[in-house]
Amino acid sequence: MDTEWGRIDETGAVFVRTADGERQIGSWQAGPPEEGVAFYTRRYDELAADVALLEARAGSAATDPHAVHTAAVHLKDGLPQAAALGDLDALSRRLDVVLEKVQERLKERAAERARAAEALVERKRALVAEAQALATSDNWRAGGERFRAIVEEWKTIRIDRKIDSALWEEFAAARRAFDTRRRAHFAEREEARNAAAEAKSKLATEAEKLADSTDWTPTAKRFRDLMTQWKAAGRASKEADDELWKRFKTAQDTFFARRSEVFSARDAEQTSNLEAKQALIAEARSLDAGADPDGARKRLKSIHDRWEKIGHVPRDAKDRLEDQLAAVERTIREATSAARVVSVTESPLVIRLRESVGKLEGRLGRAQAAGDTKLVAETEAALATQREWLAHAEAATD
């Protein structure tokens, strides 16, 4: 039986065709020739699958190029003896391509190692450049810590010994320059500490004078200003700083403790006032304007008078209380008006004047509660006029 890539003769001998000619690869006696061809073709497919796998690995950065190279050479060396029917020459050419790719990757890896070695040198050069920049820094603590960190990092970077020695000399020179400037700075710093101690002593003295002040708002602001100045004055020696701060803080705490006591007492008074006004609202709500309109109006006037004498309540409760009292006023005013309407013997003029007086009395109470002096004056004048007219009208109907 003859195929494109080989044949099986009448004796069962199996031959494969390659560019080098025909060679026997085995003998088939287990069945019809077709089955023999299929058997040796499957072997070729297995070889082709191995080649395809190597092609994939050759293009992957995750694989070891040395391992791929070894496997490809082994597979290529075995092709001349392979017992398989197929295009073995094509497999050989594909393996050549794999080997070329692997060689390129090996060259790239060698170049990467060279670049890595150069990168290590560049890291030390960068550390030298950083040290030279730090040599002019005034951040002494951070600079000193960074110099120590550079030394530790330097130890972890392995490069050519000769290059390393030259770079180390440059680094050491920068560190010496930094140390020289730092020593000079701390000599100047001692002088600055003495000046800071003198400035803070003055601030502590002023704070002690303010400790007994009762001018709460401006004194509190002045203490904040003194604190700002304190922070800007700089640091004295630790012993002097601690002593001066103790004086300043004691004076500050004394003032604010006194202020807190006063404000607490004020809050307690306002809470008491709140409870008193809530009691007046409860009293006002208990008035029965329908049964006794005039009596309800008189008692509401008494409630207003007591309301005004109570004093301040917490700010968040003020409007709510005023609204509650105003609601009671409206209820009593409406009930009073209704009672007067059913009295058919009264003059319509008297009825209107009484309604007007009731409305003005309600407005006057609210204006007084709100502390609106202008509205109080205007309402009192209008109320006096309305009451005078009402008196005349009532006298005329008697």
Side-chain angles (χ1 to χ4, degrees):
M1 179 177 179
D2 200 358
T3 69
E4 181 181 1
W5 302 109
R7 64 187 177 85
I8 298 178
D9 67 12
E10 62 278 3
T11 67
V14 183
F15 297 89
V16 66
R17 297 189 187 94
T18 66
D20 296 328
E22 189 178 71
R23 66 177 175 84
Q24 184 175 351
I25 59 174
S27 176
W28 180 256
Q29 303 295 332
E34 291 82 359
E35 293 181 3
V37 169
F39 173 79
Y40 284 101
T41 300
R42 283 195 298 273
R43 284 192 171 185
Y44 174 84
D45 292 340
E46 292 172 358
L47 291 174
D50 290 340
V51 172
L53 178 60
L54 289 174
E55 288 173 332
R57 293 178 63 194
S60 171
T63 58
D64 179 11
H66 288 288
V68 177
H69 181 273
T70 300
V73 169
H74 177 74
L75 189 58
K76 182 176 174 62
D77 289 345
L79 288 180
Q81 294 83 35
L85 283 179
D87 191 353
L88 295 176
D89 293 327
L91 294 183
S92 180
R93 289 191 296 272
R94 289 168 64 185
L95 287 171
D96 288 338
V97 174
V98 168
L99 290 170
E100 289 176 4
K101 288 184 178 180
V102 170
Q103 287 296 334
E104 286 298 319
R105 286 188 58 198
L106 289 172
K107 290 179 182 178
E108 290 174 2
R109 178 169 287 192
E112 287 174 2
R113 286 196 295 269
R115 288 193 294 270
E118 180 61 25
L120 293 176
V121 173
E122 288 301 318
R123 280 182 62 188
K124 287 205 167 180
R125 286 177 180 149
L127 293 177
V128 169
E130 183 182 356
Q132 290 169 338
L134 285 174
T136 60
S137 171
D138 294 333
N139 194 339
W140 308 113
R141 174 176 293 181
E145 291 175 353
R146 183 55 188 154
F147 267 110
R148 288 189 290 273
I150 289 175
V151 171
E152 294 305 314
E153 184 177 353
W154 190 283
K155 296 175 183 178
T156 66
I157 305 172
R158 304 291 182 180
I159 62 173
D160 177 78
R161 182 174 298 180
K162 184 176 180 181
I163 297 174
D164 188 88
S165 179
L167 292 174
W168 177 257
E169 286 301 320
E170 295 182 40
F171 169 78
R175 184 170 60 172
R176 286 192 298 271
F178 176 81
D179 289 340
T180 299
R181 293 180 56 253
R182 180 169 58 177
R183 285 191 293 271
H185 163 76
F186 282 105
E188 297 172 359
R189 184 178 178 181
E190 185 63 26
E191 183 178 349
R193 282 180 171 176
N194 293 334
E198 182 179 355
K200 287 184 173 181
S201 177
K202 294 178 180 179
L203 294 174
T205 298
E206 183 178 351
E208 289 166 342
K209 292 178 180 178
L210 292 172
D212 295 328
S213 171
T214 57
D215 199 0
W216 308 116
T217 300
T219 303
K221 182 180 182 303
R222 181 55 185 160
F223 264 110
R224 289 193 291 271
D225 293 340
L226 292 178
M227 178 59 75
T228 300
Q229 294 176 38
W230 183 280
K231 293 177 181 178
R235 293 185 61 83
S237 66
K238 186 178 186 309
E239 182 180 355
D241 235 12
D242 289 347
E243 180 184 354
L244 292 169
W245 173 247
K246 183 178 180 180
R247 287 175 54 195
F248 181 89
K249 189 70 167 58
T250 299
Q252 184 184 53
D253 290 347
T254 299
F255 168 78
F256 282 104
R258 292 175 53 251
R259 188 183 73 156
S260 179
E261 291 176 2
V262 172
F263 284 7
S264 295
R266 184 190 64 184
D267 292 343
E269 179 184 353
Q270 290 188 356
T271 300
S272 176
N273 292 343
L274 172 62
E275 293 172 354
K277 287 194 173 183
Q278 288 173 333
L280 289 178
I281 290 173
E283 180 182 345
R285 286 172 173 169
S286 69
L287 298 177
D288 187 354
D292 184 8
D294 291 335
R297 278 195 306 109
K298 291 177 181 179
R299 288 183 62 188
L300 184 61
K301 179 64 169 60
S302 171
I303 289 171
H304 269 300
D305 293 340
R306 284 177 285 160
W307 182 283
E308 295 305 318
K309 293 176 182 178
I310 288 175
H312 294 291
V313 297
R315 183 177 301 176
D316 59 351
K318 180 180 178 182
D319 290 342
R320 173 169 50 83
L321 293 174
E322 295 292 345
D323 290 343
Q324 290 174 356
L325 185 60
V328 175
E329 291 173 355
R330 286 194 299 271
T331 301
I332 293 176
R333 185 169 61 249
E334 291 168 359
T336 302
S337 298
R340 287 171 179 163
V341 166
V342 300
S343 178
V344 296
T345 60
E346 285 189 323
S347 165
L349 175 60
V350 171
I351 293 173
R352 287 196 299 274
L353 287 172
R354 282 179 177 168
E355 291 177 350
S356 177
V357 168
K359 291 179 181 178
L360 288 171
E361 286 174 345
R363 186 171 71 180
L364 176 61
R366 290 190 296 275
Q368 289 171 337
D372 190 338
T373 55
K374 181 179 179 181
L375 183 57
V376 167
E378 292 175 354
T379 306
E380 285 178 340
L383 183 58
T385 301
Q386 292 290 308
R387 283 173 175 166
E388 183 179 354
W389 290 351
L390 176 58
H392 289 302
E394 290 175 333
T397 59
D398 289 340

